[in-house]
Amino acid sequence: MNNYDIVVVGAGMVGAAAASLLARSGFSVAVIDQHEPRPFDASRAVGLRVSAFSPGSADILAEAGAWRQVERQRHCPYRRMVVEDREETSVLEFDAVEFGLDQLGTIVENELVQWSLWQSLLAMGGVEIFCPDQVSDLEYQDEGLLIRLESGVSICCSLLVAADGANSGIRKRLGIRQEHWEYGQQGLVTVVQTSTPNPGVAWQRFLPAGPLAFLPLKDGSSSIVWSLPEAEAVRLLESDEAAFLAELEQAVSGGENHWPGQLIACGPRAAFPLTMRLSERYTASRTVLIGDAAHVVHPLAGQGVNLGLLDAAGLVEVLVGARNRQLDFAGDKTLEKFGRWRRSEAELMARGMHGIKGLFMPEELGPLRRIGIGLIASSWTAKEAFIKRATGRNRNAPALARGTSLTELLHP
Ligand SMILES: Cc1cc2nc3c(=O)[nH]c(=O)nc-3n(C[C@H](O)[C@H](O)[C@H](O)COP(=O)(O)OP(=O)(O)OC[C@H]3O[C@@H](n4cnc5c(N)ncnc54)[C@H](O)[C@@H]3O)c2cc1C
């Protein structure tokens, strides 16, 4: 029988980062995923799924052994962030320099991060990978959990970490309910070439149907996420490139702050359903949920994977803390501490996104919106609080996101 301290189900960006950090902290770890990530190839065009990684997330990924590989390949730091109301009468701007930072974040393809983490897991001792495989049964035993895999292998562990994404089979198996916010919207994504190269600005405009974001890529093009009602998204996916670009041009044009310039071309298009979900709890006996398995937030603030990486770092901090005090790292008290901490952070984010979305969408809230943006724009304290959270370095963030190294965490 294979015996491990911790089994992580799901080696997406969040699960793989957690597994790497836990193994580097001295736990014996097994990872289960239904398929291997596709090898990253920098000669291919930029992938459709990119994320804005905060400096805090970059620190976590560095400790997980993946960031150097990311930096060597393809990423695009951004130093300015501009958020506009649809009429461009209210503009909120953030510049890294104002906050003494080199950058506000970096845009990276999800595939590259996942591949770099996978490489780091393969290169490491102390991690066993079961892939392709899936959990077929879970059984609680006196001292831990017995996990049966589809391949017929059985493994035992003290703690199960469910990082198996938004439709987490482990969460369903444990009967953990979720609060849902359904928007009937899709996020349309593509890569767009503009007449003026993107100058390293993450730009977002709130349109009546939902936010439209342009994220900078290394070659001067932009990766866009356009939130649209489902039928609109389907129509724009099916339209030809010229018709699509004409509608996108209309959505970005107007006002003095007009940035993206003329739209020249776009790559393949895809759309993803937009929802918000929050699990009623993050823990069950000897089990924790992290990443999208625990919460899904609206991509308007680009915080989904960042929140998941903070879960991974928070889990390591709590488990190592318990072990340092000779407590059971998989005991209820330890897991509840983690669950309360990370769930309250995700709830703040999910409700905040829901509130922002509610404030920005309706036409009749225009005056209120302008007052709100004006107040934030003129308040250094409000802007600083926003930036601390967006960079993953607020007071409640795990130590690994705030500059503490794994070595310092292990030997306080
Ligand atoms: C349009 C869009 C834009 C976004 N932009 C951003 C952004 O800019 N910034 C940001 O922070 N976030 C963004 N997000 C959110 C972000 O993509 C997710 O939060 C993140 O990918 C979740 O990672 P995860 O590892 O938790 O889950 P996943 O990536 O879903 O990984 C789950 C893993 O579990 C495995 N798995 C699933 N089921 C099983 C099973 N039964 N057995 C074994 N393995 C299993 C899967 O194969 C996969 O490897 C965006 C989301 C959308 C839809």
Side-chain angles (χ1 to χ4, degrees), residues 149-330:
L149 303 182
E150 300 261 320
S151 59
V153 173
S154 291
I155 53 183
C156 270
C157 65
S158 302
L159 175 65
L160 170 65
V161 177
D164 50 346
N167 295 314
S168 167
I170 302 290
R171 187 191 63 237
K172 288 178 193 158
R173 206 179 271 270
L174 295 170
I176 298 179
R177 288 199 305 254
Q178 289 195 309
E179 192 175 344
H180 278 244
W181 291 265
E182 296 296 343
Y183 298 113
Q185 288 203 318
Q186 303 242 340
L188 189 153
V189 295
T190 186
V191 173
V192 175
Q193 260 84 44
T194 46
S195 55
T196 324
N198 188 320
V201 176
W203 180 90
Q204 179 148 243
R205 177 181 281 182
F206 281 86
L207 297 161
L212 165 63
F214 275 61
L215 304 173
L217 298 174
K218 191 86 193 143
D219 63 358
S221 60
S222 300
S223 169
I224 72 156
V225 184
W226 192 358
S227 308
L228 292 158
E230 264 158 15
E232 277 291 279
V234 171
R235 186 181 63 75
L236 284 167
L237 281 180
E238 287 169 357
S239 62
D240 64 36
E241 185 176 345
F244 172 75
L245 288 175
E247 290 206 36
L248 184 60
E249 182 93 50
Q250 210 174 9
V252 298
S253 65
E256 288 160 22
N257 234 347
H258 174 76
W259 160 68
Q262 208 187 340
L263 306 178
I264 296 170
C266 73
R269 283 161 265 164
F272 300 92
L274 300 181
T275 55
M276 263 208 291
R277 302 184 196 178
L278 184 64
S279 297
E280 63 175 9
R281 57 199 163 89
Y282 276 23
T283 62
S285 176
R286 297 197 172 273
T287 312
V288 294
L289 308 179
I290 59 171
D292 274 21
H295 47 71
V296 177
V297 299
H298 194 288
L300 73 86
Q303 286 300 320
V305 73
N306 290 298
L307 209 50
L309 291 170
L310 293 172
D311 291 345
L315 182 64
V316 175
E317 186 170 327
V318 170
L319 300 192
V320 166
R323 192 182 57 187
N324 286 347
R325 295 196 305 282
Q326 270 97 48
L327 299 172
D328 178 6
F329 69 84

Side-chain angles (χ1 to χ4, degrees), residues 9-15 32-35 49-52 110 114 133-135 163-166 187 189 215 225 272-274 290-293 299 302-306:
V9 179
M13 293 187 279
V14 174
I32 302 162
D33 202 303
Q34 54 197 2
H35 45 69
R49 293 296 302 268
V50 306
S51 298
N110 292 4
Q114 211 169 338
D133 217 332
Q134 294 195 45
V135 173
D164 50 346
V189 295
L215 304 173
V225 184
F272 300 92
L274 300 181
I290 59 171
D292 274 21
Q303 286 300 320
V305 73
N306 290 298

